[in-house]
Amino acid sequence: MKLLADKTGEQFLSIQQEQGDEVIVQFISNEGEPTGKPFKDSLKGLKLAGWSVRHTSTAIGLYRFKHGYLEDAHVSFALHQLYPLGRKVKLPTGDVVKIASYANTHSDGYYMYVTKQGQSKLTRLKMSPEWELLPSDKLLALPYYPAPRTQQEIDNIQSFDEWAGGF
């Protein structure tokens, strides 16, 4: 899978056909699933618009994971990025567990140690694409706003600005 990413690294285009500078591309989700319809464009035009070639990403890794690729560097990269320690996951059984280890690669799939809520016992489970990532408490935390500046801090900044002459 050849991939282009936008400037933010949050949107992806999958290159389906390439002939010289002409390409047929299609938007794909972060999970590697196609969205929308394929369209024709020039590689040069896409690069001028801020798209760049991406050799590895969570989108490529998750796409390969869902299609059964084993012992794959792209899959390992995606699983380590998306399933960090402490992240909560909803299993196909409906159980909510917390990740206690990184994904371990084996010849028959990827395994991870998890703990059930309220328990300290580690359980080794084979990962599957049906695992649903739950929102992170850290990512949903409100931003920190510092206390308003004191008069002493304002005076110090003003005296520096006067000394620096506006630079």
Side-chain angles (χ1 to χ4, degrees):
M1 173 186 279
K2 283 189 164 187
L3 204 65
L4 296 172
D6 71 343
K7 292 176 186 177
T8 64
E10 295 176 0
Q11 291 186 344
F12 301 101
L13 286 172
S14 173
I15 299 175
Q16 295 181 339
Q17 291 180 5
E18 186 174 1
Q19 194 170 17
D21 188 47
E22 295 294 316
V23 290
I24 295 178
V25 293
Q26 183 173 13
F27 281 99
I28 61 170
S29 68
N30 289 341
E31 290 83 30
E33 297 300 320
T35 58
K37 293 183 178 182
F39 61 94
K40 196 179 222 182
D41 209 330
S42 72
L43 200 54
K44 189 175 185 178
L46 289 168
K47 287 184 178 181
L48 284 172
W51 293 88
S52 59
V53 175
R54 181 68 59 92
H55 295 289
T56 189
S57 74
T58 55
I60 293 173
L62 283 178
Y63 177 82
R64 290 183 176 202
F65 179 59
K66 288 179 179 180
H67 288 84
Y69 285 80
L70 300 176
E71 298 183 30
D72 184 88
H74 296 287
V75 174
S76 294
F77 173 81
L79 295 179
H80 279 77
Q81 291 292 314
L82 294 173
Y83 294 89
L85 298 176
R87 188 79 182 258
K88 290 182 182 176
V89 176
K90 186 175 183 180
L91 302 176
T93 60
D95 293 334
V96 175
V97 296
K98 190 182 270 190
I99 296 171
S101 74
Y102 288 107
N104 298 310
T105 308
H106 291 277
S107 60
D108 66 335
Y110 293 86
Y111 289 83
M112 189 176 280
Y113 284 98
V114 297
T115 57
K116 285 192 177 182
Q117 219 163 4
Q119 296 181 356
S120 60
K121 180 183 163 194
L122 292 176
T123 307
R124 184 175 181 255
L125 296 177
K126 184 176 181 180
M127 294 183 73
S128 73
E130 290 80 34
W131 284 24
E132 181 185 339
L133 283 171
L134 298 177
S136 167
D137 296 335
K138 290 180 183 176
L139 295 176
L140 294 175
L142 294 173
Y144 168 75
Y145 292 102
R149 290 189 175 123
T150 64
Q151 189 59 46
Q152 183 183 0
E153 289 172 318
I154 293 170
D155 293 343
N156 191 21
I157 292 168
Q158 283 178 341
S159 68
F160 178 80
D161 285 343
E162 290 171 8
W163 172 83
F167 290 100

